[in-house]
Structure formats: C-alpha cells, structure tokens
Amino acid sequence: MDILDIIGSALKAGLRPETAYISLAAIGLNIHFGYTGLLNFGQAGFMAVGAYGLAIPVFAFEASLWVGLACGITASVIFALLLGYPTLRLRADYLAIVTIAAAEIFRFIVRATGLREITGGSNGINGFSSGFYEANPYTSSVGFELGFLDFNYTAREAWVMTVGWGIVLTGIAFTYFAINSPWGRVLKSVREDEDAVRSLGKNAYSFKMQSLVIGGVFGAIGGMILALAQGSVQPSPVDLGPTRTFLAYAALIIGGTGKLWGPVAGSFIFISLLSFTDTFIRSAQAEGWIDESFIAPNEVGIARFVILGIALMLLMTFRPQGIFGSKREMALDV
Amino acid sequence: MSRSEAPAEIESKPGATKPDPILKVSGLVRQFGGLKAVDVEHLEIERNKITALIGPNGAGKTTFFNLITGFDQPNAGEWTYNGHPMKALGPHQMAKQGMVRTFQLTKSLSKLTVIENMKLGAANQVGESLGKALLPFTWKKQEAEIERRADALLDRFNMSHMRSEFAASLSGGQRKLLEMARALMAEPEIVMLDEPMAGVNPALTQELLGHVKELREEGRTIVFVEHDMDVVRDISDWVVVMAQGQIIAEGTHAEIGANQEVIDAYLGRHHDEEMSSDKAQESGTESFSQSEPDENSGLEKESNDE
C-alpha cells in the first residue's frame, strides 16, 4: 500500500465535478444559514428542481439546453417563493420542516408512474446532456502528473469541471460582493435579530425571501451540474434526497458557516476524505490488515461514512467553528 | 427646567387633549385570553416633549409599546402618527415614517461590530437593494457619509473606543447606549425607549439622561418606559401612568405624585389599612419619597395623613 498514492487519488477526487456541485449547494446554504440564519433542510429539493427543470424540457419537449437552463432557474425561484411565503413570517424551525417536506414531496412527485412520459418516473431521465457534451472543447484527457499527484481527468470530466468550478468561482465572487454590501449587512442582522432589523425600518421578511431565493438558485445550479455530470437525473435519496442536503451541510460546517470560502473548502475536504477512507480501507483489506469479517468489501462504502461521522463529531467538539471560522466569533454565540 | 416647560393648559386627566399631538391613540385593546393587557381609551403624545410611561409591573406598558410600533396586533383600536393612521402598517413601515423604538431586552446584533450595528440603522440605503449592492460604486459614497455620521454619534455616546468590537462583547449598559445610538441613525422623529436605564449604572444613567434631553433639544419627541422615579422626575415633561392596561393618570411629575389613583395602583387600594403604616411606606413609597425629597410629595402626605 502506498499512502502517497492514496492521498494523491483523494486530492484528485476532491476536484471532481461532485465537489463542484456540492460546493454550489453549500454556497447556497451558506447564504441561507450562514448569513441569514435560515434553516433550509431541503437544499436537495432545490437541486432536484434545478436538475429536473433542466432535463424535462430537453427530454419531454425537445427544447434546447438553454431553455432547460432558464426553466430550471425559474422553477427554483418559484419553489423558493412558495416555500418562503407561508414560513418566513414564522420562526426558523418552521422553514426547516417545510423545506425538508417539500423536497421529499417534489422527489416523490417526479417518481410517480403517471408522470413517466415527462419525468421518467423512478428511472429518471437520461440523454438530455448530449448538447452539453457536444460543446466540449476538450478532445482528449486533460491534466498533469507531479510526483505522486495525478491530476488527469477524462475530457468529459474536464468539461464539467471547467463549467462547474467556473460557476463556483462566480458564486464566490457574487457572495463576496453581496455580503460586503449594505444588503449583506441587513442579512447578517436578520440572522442576529429580526426584530432589531424591523425596528430600524427594514423589511426583514423581504430580505429573508431574497436570501431564500438566491441560495435556492445556487442549489438549483448545483443540481444542474449534478445532472450534467452524471448525464442523468435520478429521484434517489442519495442523489437528490435528504442525504444530499446533509452532505452539503456537512461540507459547510467543516469549512465554516458564514465564511466566504467555507463551503468550497469544506466540500473539497469532505469529498477528499470520503475518497481517502474508501481507498485506504480497500487497500488495507488487500494487505490483510483489516479482516473481511470485520468490514466486508461491500461494507466499505458504509464504513467510510461511519469514520467520517466520527471525524465530524471530533471536529464539532474541538473546532466547532470549522476550518475558516473564528473561535472568537463562535464564543459569542451564548 | 423641564417641568416648568409643560404647558399649563393641558388638563391633568387620563386622555387629555394636547395642543400639538404627534401620536394619537384611541380605543386600543389587546387581549390575551380573558386578560385585557392593554385597554387605552384615549392618549395623545405631545410633540417635542419627553413623555414618561410608568406603572407597576404587568401594567401593559411594554405591550402598549409593542402595539403602537407594530410589533404586536391589537384586538381593537386606532392610532395616528402625524395624522396618518398606522394600524395597517408593519413595524418596519412605521420605523420608516420616523417612529423608532428600542427594546427592554437590548437587541444588539452580537456578531456585528459596533460600527456595523450603527450603520445598519441608517435609513434609505441605496446598497440595501440587491441589484445595487453588487455595484459598489452606487453606494460607496453614501456609505462613507453614513459611516461619518455613525462615528459622530459613537463619539457623542462615548463609544468610539468600542468601534471595531463585536457588539456581543459590550456590557449591558453599553448595549443600551448602542441601541439608542443606533436608533438615532435612523433619524427618527419620535423615539420610543423601553426601559432605557434598566441595568445601567448610575454614572452611565446620568450620561444617558443627558443624551435624551439633547434629543428633545434637537426637536425629537421621546416616549419612554421607566421604573426609576428619579429618572422620571429628572427628565420627563409629562408622565402617563398605566395600571392593569388602562391609563389611570396623566400629568406633570408633581401632579402624578399627588394622585390618589396612582398611589392605589402602586400600593394597592387598601395599602393604608391593614399593614402597619411604616411598613407600607418603606416598601412602596420609597421611590417617590426618594425622588422628591424636597417637595414633600403628595404621596407621603396622603399616607401620613391617614
């Protein structure tokens, strides 16, 4: 077993498209939760709305990918308005309940057999991404090797990564400008105390709604990247269900909530660690260090989440503010 | 002196009409189940005066504040501000029109610095619309102006040294100062202070009192809830007394001290009967007798006479 190789492949995995779309979902959550204090437990719902919004027009109505893009974003805005309208006047926990429920409702609706012509039912939708890959400027694999580091990606991956990471950087730039403005100041103030904001003549409800919409659109774009990267949309709980939401939350918390680079760094670390534990356990098994009666080969996928879960708990105990968070700010929470 | 300024023509009775009211409240009722927390028949607040709202615990003072600033909805009643009906407006709309309040439990924005807290207070900020927020050149100039104003106010409230600290690291008294200063950033016409002096040390209280008086000199109207009778005596032009949700008395501080209804509300109607007289004086009249040592307030007379 070569530990450097395992690290190398973990870092390579950390740059894959999956990190980019989890980053986008986490950037959205950072605007919701990190800056505005909105507890959105249905980010996967926004991703699903974006993914299906992109795929359905192409699949069922033979529209172009651009139409799908516009549909996905519009749909996510409507989704945010629908969720926000009844709940944003209430306490934060109501939004949490409504978002997680709405995300699941959406996923079960698109799974419905009656909608198979439009949404593909439980099989999901394939073959909507050809337009995207036709535009791929890369013809062969892209990347470089440097010692134990091997950053070679297939042309397909490289194209999704270019677009995905490009949008992530745009998202970071957007967050930077938006948060460091008077608008962002109001958002942070809403997070601290809504009534104080109201008493100073700002419509807290409207700012919360704007935050919900914008963070939701980031989630939806993340969902679109996911759909394009996989070349399919599946209504599965892992892809576009609660698991996805909590992966994004885990990434955000690892990186640091309310910090500009928190969601991106957190996603990178999270995906790299997942890949690392996975490869590590497998090669440890190959070396005979871990007995198969302890972790069977088909249990590796589960075991890595157990290990990562423990790591997350340790992080929360010893560095609750995340990688980028400041301890001083965290101590103010009480 | 503030008290001598109070117009003589205003009658000292609940619901008295005033020559130039900024705020007019009528028939305001707020019920919590069977309890009428607020039941105000009529109240006018005179412009450019400091009005104190006093009353025993549970009298409905804070609920009344919440109602007229839009933070709570009344079961019935109307109120006008500068002649405009306010009932249908939300709290932020009222604040926009110039009626800004502070809270009994301070609402400082813990994880924002003091200066950011201040800057939030400014009204009509261009950069608060998302479209403009992304274009810094549209709001940088206004921001600089706001920051200048915020610094000037912080200086006036002796808070400049805390400028870059998180609001969470301020003491309770400093938070009161910050909240008041922040409210002023909105350039309100009427400032409603809910127990501004509670938990503030005496030296700081003197400072705050000075600031409140300055506000009146600037032409603002101040309404404040307070329990400390020294404070009430020191700065109020007019005192409104609430008990069990109703306005039971209005008048200058001296008149209120002599009002039998007020004494009953504070001490209970039978305060002078069962209890030994010196005990009653100790527990209840303390605040009044302290506040008016030289004027020999009516309250003391009343309880001594009996």
Side-chain angles (χ1 to χ4, degrees):
Chain A
M1 172 162 82
D2 187 346
I3 194 79
L4 285 182
D5 277 349
I6 300 178
I7 293 174
S9 73
L11 293 179
K12 180 182 177 183
L15 291 179
R16 282 230 162 80
E18 187 179 11
T19 316
Y21 56 74
I22 289 189
S23 291
L24 281 168
I27 287 173
L29 286 180
N30 200 23
I31 292 173
H32 288 158
F33 178 65
Y35 293 116
T36 325
L38 300 176
L39 216 45
N40 167 17
F41 278 165
Q43 188 68 332
F46 284 98
M47 294 176 80
V49 168
Y52 275 95
L54 176 77
I56 289 173
V58 183
F59 166 75
F61 304 103
E62 291 175 6
S64 82
L65 213 54
W66 292 108
V67 175
L69 188 77
C71 282
I73 289 177
T74 314
S76 67
V77 171
I78 293 169
F79 193 61
L81 294 175
L82 280 177
L83 294 185
Y85 179 72
T87 55
L88 289 181
R89 289 180 202 278
L90 306 169
R91 270 202 339 253
D93 27 4
Y94 293 93
L95 181 71
I97 296 165
V98 168
T99 46
I100 195 167
E104 283 300 83
I105 290 169
F106 180 81
R107 195 165 65 81
F108 282 110
I109 287 176
V110 292
R111 275 179 71 112
T113 324
L115 290 174
R116 197 181 290 152
E117 299 291 302
I118 301 171
T119 65
S122 54
N123 293 329
I125 305 174
N126 299 304
F128 56 89
S129 57
S130 52
F132 175 72
Y133 288 107
E134 274 161 24
N136 189 353
Y138 305 114
T139 46
S140 60
S141 73
V142 187
F144 61 93
E145 274 179 58
L146 193 80
F148 67 93
L149 296 171
D150 172 12
F151 285 118
N152 278 305
Y153 298 91
T154 64
R156 214 179 134 88
E157 268 184 330
W159 177 223
V160 185
M161 283 166 62
T162 308
V163 174
W165 287 112
I167 296 173
V168 168
L169 289 180
T170 316
I172 291 288
F174 172 88
T175 313
Y176 175 81
F177 283 109
I179 292 304
N180 289 307
S181 73
W183 183 81
R185 185 162 61 221
V186 182
L187 284 202
K188 286 187 272 184
S189 306
V190 167
R191 176 190 70 195
E192 299 299 316
D193 197 311
E194 270 178 53
D195 279 345
V197 173
R198 287 201 187 93
S199 76
L200 293 168
K202 331 270 174 196
N203 186 351
Y205 177 74
S206 155
F207 281 95
K208 282 158 83 177
M209 187 65 99
Q210 292 175 46
S211 164
L212 187 67
V213 169
I214 288 165
V217 168
F218 275 114
I221 296 173
M224 293 179 192
I225 302 293
L226 177 147
L228 292 171
Q230 300 188 343
S232 74
V233 277
Q234 307 289 334
S236 77
V238 179
D239 259 358
L240 293 171
T243 315
R244 186 64 76 190
T245 300
F246 292 107
L247 284 189
Y249 259 110
L252 176 62
I253 288 164
I254 290 172
T257 46
K259 296 290 160 212
L260 185 63
W261 288 97
V264 181
S267 305
F268 176 78
I269 292 166
F270 189 72
I271 300 292
S272 301
L273 276 181
L274 262 187
S275 157
F276 178 83
T277 43
D278 187 87
T279 336
F280 185 81
I281 296 171
R282 281 181 208 286
S283 40
Q285 277 177 336
E287 300 272 344
W289 296 350
I290 298 176
D291 195 76
E292 289 204 0
S293 62
F294 182 58
I295 302 177
N298 62 348
E299 287 167 354
V300 173
I302 302 162
R304 60 184 184 153
F305 276 111
V306 173
I307 293 169
L308 225 68
I310 295 169
L312 209 58
M313 281 191 256
L314 291 176
L315 180 81
M316 285 301 93
T317 311
F318 295 107
R319 201 178 163 80
Q321 70 273 35
I323 306 286
F324 281 96
S326 92
K327 192 147 207 166
R328 193 163 147 252
E329 225 172 295
M330 196 78 188
L332 301 177
D333 248 344
V334 243
Chain B
M1 260 318 279
S2 54
R3 260 164 296 145
S4 55
E5 273 177 27
E9 68 266 26
I10 302 177
E11 257 187 298
S12 294
K13 62 160 198 192
T17 53
K18 316 233 162 44
D20 184 16
I22 185 168
L23 199 64
K24 269 188 183 179
V25 181
S26 49
L28 196 68
V29 176
R30 176 69 170 107
Q31 278 181 304
F32 294 117
L35 175 81
K36 270 190 178 170
V38 166
D39 183 8
V40 171
E41 239 169 72
H42 191 81
L43 177 66
E44 295 183 3
I45 303 286
E46 175 73 355
R47 189 186 305 276
N48 198 10
K49 288 279 181 286
I50 300 178
T51 305
L53 185 58
I54 66 168
N57 290 326
K61 305 179 297 289
T62 296
T63 311
F64 177 73
F65 252 44
N66 286 344
L67 289 173
I68 52 180
T69 53
F71 281 85
D72 192 5
Q73 307 302 318
N75 298 85
E78 316 260 303
W79 66 107
T80 60
Y81 165 70
N82 277 336
H84 302 291
M86 301 294 273
K87 192 179 179 179
L89 302 184
H92 67 278
Q93 290 163 313
M94 297 191 191
K96 260 186 193 161
Q97 295 203 11
M99 182 159 72
V100 174
R101 70 169 297 183
T102 66
F103 295 86
Q104 187 176 353
L105 300 168
T106 46
K107 294 190 180 294
S108 47
L109 309 162
S110 316
K111 287 192 203 172
L112 268 63
T113 60
V114 167
I115 187 74
E116 277 189 303
N117 263 272
M118 292 294 290
K119 289 198 274 186
L120 178 76
N124 302 322
Q125 297 193 41
V126 179
E128 281 179 6
S129 83
L130 183 56
K132 300 260 173 67
L134 297 174
L135 308 168
F137 62 87
T138 58
W139 51 264
K140 275 286 185 222
K141 206 173 149 196
Q142 190 192 28
E143 179 85 353
E145 165 64 20
I146 288 170
E147 192 162 329
R148 197 194 51 71
R149 213 150 55 78
D151 275 324
L153 266 174
L154 282 179
D155 199 38
R156 185 167 137 195
F157 279 76
N158 292 335
M159 297 266 292
S160 294
H161 59 294
M162 303 299 282
R163 189 180 191 274
S164 317
E165 300 292 326
F166 284 123
S169 59
L170 300 184
S171 73
Q174 287 173 321
R175 284 181 208 197
K176 291 268 179 197
L177 277 177
L178 173 61
E179 199 174 62
M180 199 189 287
R182 190 177 65 194
L184 294 183
M185 283 297 290
E187 307 212 295
E189 205 181 340
I190 177 167
V191 193
M192 325 245 332
L193 307 167
D194 197 348
E195 299 202 21
M197 315 300 171
V200 177
N201 74 58
L204 205 53
T205 301
Q206 283 311 313
E207 222 176 289
L208 276 170
L209 289 182
H211 293 315
V212 173
K213 284 183 197 162
E214 275 175 40
L215 297 183
R216 182 184 52 198
E217 309 313 320
E218 289 171 5
R220 300 184 210 278
T221 308
I222 296 104
V223 183
F224 72 107
V225 171
E226 190 52 65
H227 281 297
D228 186 339
M229 290 304 163
D230 285 333
V231 170
V232 172
R233 183 180 61 118
D234 193 1
I235 61 169
S236 53
D237 301 315
W238 194 252
V239 180
V240 176
V241 189
M242 279 184 87
Q244 292 168 9
Q246 299 179 328
I247 308 272
I248 58 164
E250 274 190 60
T252 61
H253 182 268
E255 290 162 343
I256 291 299
N259 187 307
Q260 186 60 44
E261 285 252 25
V262 177
I263 297 159
D264 288 344
Y266 268 94
L267 300 182
R269 205 161 286 280
H270 305 292
H271 66 94
D272 45 0
E273 290 174 6
E274 289 285 310
M275 236 191 293
S276 78
S277 59
D278 48 319
K279 207 172 182 188
Q281 277 180 13
E282 261 172 34
S283 61
T285 55
E286 202 177 31
S287 50
F288 274 97
S289 46
Q290 266 184 3
S291 58
E292 305 227 32
D294 46 351
E295 293 180 23
N296 191 16
S297 80
L299 182 71
E300 273 186 323
K301 259 190 249 159
E302 292 285 350
S303 25
N304 290 338
D305 286 352
E306 304 276 330

